[in-house]
Amino acid sequence: MDLPVNEENLQQILDKLSEDETSIKKNLDTILARQCHVEAKLQNIGKVLPNVIVIRTEGEKFRDMIARTNELAENVSAKVRQLDLARSRVCECQNRVNDILDLQLCSEGVATALHNENYEQGAAHVHRYLAMDQQLLERTAEDVSGDHTSISSSLVTLQQAAMQLRAVVTHKFDEAVKSEDLASVERFFKIFPLLGMHLEGLKKFCSYLCTKLHETAQKNLEVALEVKSNDKRAAVIFADTMTLLFEGIARIVEVHQPIIETYYGPGRLLMTISILQKECDRQVKKIITVFTKHRNISKNVQMINEYSRKVPSPERIDPKELDLLLGEITIMHSRAELYVRFLRRRVKNDIEISTTDETQCAELLNEFEAMVNNSELAHGMQELLGAYLALERYFLEESVNKALGMDALDPDQQTSSMIDDVFFIVQKCVRRAMSSWSVDGVCAVVNMACGILEGEFANRLRNRLRQGYPAGYLDLAQAYNALQTSIQHGRLQTSDTEYARLMFLAYLNNTDVSTEYVETLCKSLSMEIDATFPNMQKKDRGKIDSCLSSLKGVILIFRGVIDYGLEQLRVSAVKPRVTPWVDAFLSIDHHINEDELLRYETDEPFVQTLVTNLDGLLQGFKGSLTTSNYDALIGLLTAEVTARLEKVVLKSTFNRAGGLILDKEIRSLASYLAAATSWSVRDKFARLTQIATILSIEKVEELADYCGADAIAWRLTPSEVRRIASLRIDFRPEDIKRLKL
């Protein structure tokens, strides 16, 4: 209590003490109230206490037992370790004893085998000796004092025997090679790995195979040079020679790979192929050199380069003469690619069998790819590909130019002769490039084709269409008759009007058919590329996609030419005829009474005349245009008719009956044109239909329902609606102005 004790504070102190006393009393009452509960707990504890003593006693027993068990386990483990050490020493001792016994047997056996010239048996003894631990044998000789001399002498004997046997086997192998004894060659080839001479054996055997390969290739090349020009294989004889070389190497790999794997182990094929490839490179280089000289490749390429530079030359190559030569080059290139694919597949399988390390596997595959890419075969094929592309470009350009120069029109055909000729040549060149199995070659030829089609060919089409469709009153039926008459009388000239019309339409069709041909070529080429190059790399895929996109660009250029030609046709043949036919609408009175309306229900003079005229115009073109061009012409005609009709309608005035007649006429015209084509023309009549709707309503207030804010696909603006509504003589201007549109 913080209050000082004095008379003034006595009462406060008393009150505070009373409060504390009351609080303490309550706490004591609470504690006393729990007395029974506490006593019950104490009784329970008293009952459990004997059990706790028993548990403690048992726990101490378990502790002692675990301690004794642990001590026993440690003793047993020590004994086991001692036994294991003893066992390992016994095994080592057994191995030493076995090695000593084998050493003595091998020492005696190798001497006997050498004496009897049983080289396989001697090599087996040496192989067993080489499999022993040399250091362990030397320690054994030092440990065994009694047999030290015999062990050392056995070691010396086997070492000398190994050296002697290696020399003998090498000598015998060389003699077998000189005598061309294939059985002996294979016999001693199998002995090399037993003597630890894996690399030497492979190198010698592959050198022998290269010698045989060289002899065979030389004979094949000599035979090729002796082939007469009238022989059926004369045009591809060098491709056949190269094919025989590749087939010979493939046969060597197929025959000898199992032997190499059996006696030398897997993973040796890469080294074998590397050695064989060097001889292949030498032979390929010879074949290409002879081929280039015999076929005058360099001379032809030089003449083509001079021709492309416009250098005057007395000689000029006929493209037909290059056809067979180009085919032979593509065969050579495809055979080389097939050969490389064969090697790649074999090497990959051999590497995957020999190692499970992915990193090492990738390194070995990269080593193979580097070997192939840096080989003379790859360089030679690259040179051939360069010559092929130069010759192919000349063949393509000259053949296309010749086809363009020989272009002729058959009156019974919709297209001229050049269209099939040009695309036959283009397709032939692209297919030939595909047969070379070269992605670069395919891309180059496709790019050449794109350049020709979008350049010279497209310009030829555009220039002819630029001359326009000759105007006049001569229709197409008369044009055909006049053309045939001119042919019969031998007085046909390129300036004849009817001939110019037919050529215009033919070239318009040429462009349309060209678009279809390029689309077909693009689709088929894409599928063939996927089939020919199934495991294409990302870089090559990018090249192919770029070429295919170039072909699609050619399609866009052709479509632009078609649009240009159709515009020429519209200006020359459509608009001059449609304008007076539609303008006849202005000469008709559109303020019609009820009697005239009934007569118009059965007789529509304006639209019937217009449909007759349009049908006559279209019939003249129907047989002369392709389906696509004819549909495009109808679309063009529809646009011209609707645009002109809209203008003349806006120059006229109507009552409601006149508006109803106009609505019926527009529907009849739309039905006729829709039936004439597979394309939809309803969209082009949308504005006219809405104009007719405005002119045929009964009350001006109805316009709000047709062209209000909720109107769907309404093509007319509010100002146009008011202008059209003002054409109705029975609508008051103030009512039209009050419309909320």
Side-chain angles (χ1 to χ4, degrees), residues 250-258 261 269-270 273 340-353 365 368:
R251 194 178 301 109
I252 288 173
V253 172
E254 286 186 341
V255 171
H256 294 97
Q257 184 181 3
E261 287 184 355
L269 187 60
L270 178 58
I273 288 178
V340 171
R341 290 186 184 184
F342 168 79
L343 295 184
R344 183 180 292 111
R345 185 172 61 253
R346 287 300 183 109
V347 169
K348 183 178 180 181
N349 292 337
D350 183 63
I351 291 174
E352 290 176 350
I353 293 173
L365 288 175
F368 169 77

Side-chain angles (χ1 to χ4, degrees), residues 652-667:
S652 306
T653 57
F654 303 82
N655 61 5
R656 184 167 187 269
L660 292 172
I661 293 298
L662 175 64
D663 183 69
K664 184 179 180 183
E665 289 176 334
I666 290 175
R667 293 180 187 278

Side-chain angles (χ1 to χ4, degrees), residues 323 326-327 329-330 333 384-397 399-400 422-454 518 521 525 528-529 533 543-544 546-548 550-551 554:
D323 200 11
L326 290 168
I329 295 176
T330 55
H333 202 285
L384 278 182
L385 183 62
Y388 161 75
L389 293 177
L391 298 173
E392 189 72 276
R393 176 182 291 277
Y394 178 81
F395 176 85
L396 179 60
E397 291 177 350
S399 299
V400 168
V422 167
F423 278 93
F424 172 78
I425 295 165
V426 169
Q427 191 172 28
K428 180 178 182 178
C429 293
V430 173
R431 293 284 183 274
R432 183 157 53 203
M434 285 290 300
S435 67
S436 70
W437 286 14
S438 169
V439 173
D440 292 335
V442 172
C443 292
V445 174
V446 171
N447 288 333
M448 291 178 198
C450 290
I452 290 288
L453 293 176
E454 67 187 14
V518 175
L521 178 63
L525 186 60
E528 289 180 17
I529 286 173
F533 308 102
K543 295 179 183 178
I544 293 296
S546 176
C547 292
L548 295 179
S550 298
L551 278 176
V554 173

Side-chain angles (χ1 to χ4, degrees), residues 558-605:
F558 285 162
R559 287 175 178 168
V561 175
I562 292 175
D563 293 339
Y564 177 78
L566 290 173
E567 177 61 20
Q568 292 286 85
L569 193 61
R570 184 190 72 83
V571 172
S572 301
V574 175
K575 186 175 181 179
R577 300 187 182 188
V578 167
T579 299
W581 294 341
V582 176
D583 286 352
F585 185 84
L586 295 172
S587 62
I588 300 174
D589 184 11
H590 304 290
H591 305 160
I592 300 173
N593 56 35
E594 294 296 331
D595 295 336
E596 291 174 331
L597 179 61
L598 293 175
R599 182 170 56 83
Y600 269 103
E601 290 292 336
T602 57
D603 184 20
E604 300 173 346

Side-chain angles (χ1 to χ4, degrees), residues 409 464 468-476 478-480 494-508 569 572-573 577 621 624-625:
L409 176 62
R464 169 62 72 172
Y469 182 78
Y473 298 101
L474 196 65
D475 61 20
L476 266 293
Q478 292 173 324
Y480 274 117
T494 56
S495 60
D496 289 346
T497 302
E498 61 273 16
Y499 180 75
R501 287 174 176 165
L502 294 178
M503 286 300 291
F504 179 91
L505 297 178
Y507 269 65
L508 190 61
L569 193 61
S572 301
R577 300 187 182 188
F621 286 101
S624 303
L625 292 175

Side-chain angles (χ1 to χ4, degrees), residues 11 20 33 45 138 224 265 382 391 406 636 649 658 661 734:
Q11 186 62 40
D20 292 342
I45 291 172
E138 293 175 358
Q382 195 65 31
L391 298 173
M406 297 175 62
L636 181 149
V649 166
I661 293 298
E734 55 270 21

Side-chain angles (χ1 to χ4, degrees), residues 474-487:
L474 196 65
D475 61 20
L476 266 293
Q478 292 173 324
Y480 274 117
N481 294 332
L483 177 62
Q484 292 173 353
T485 303
S486 299
I487 294 174

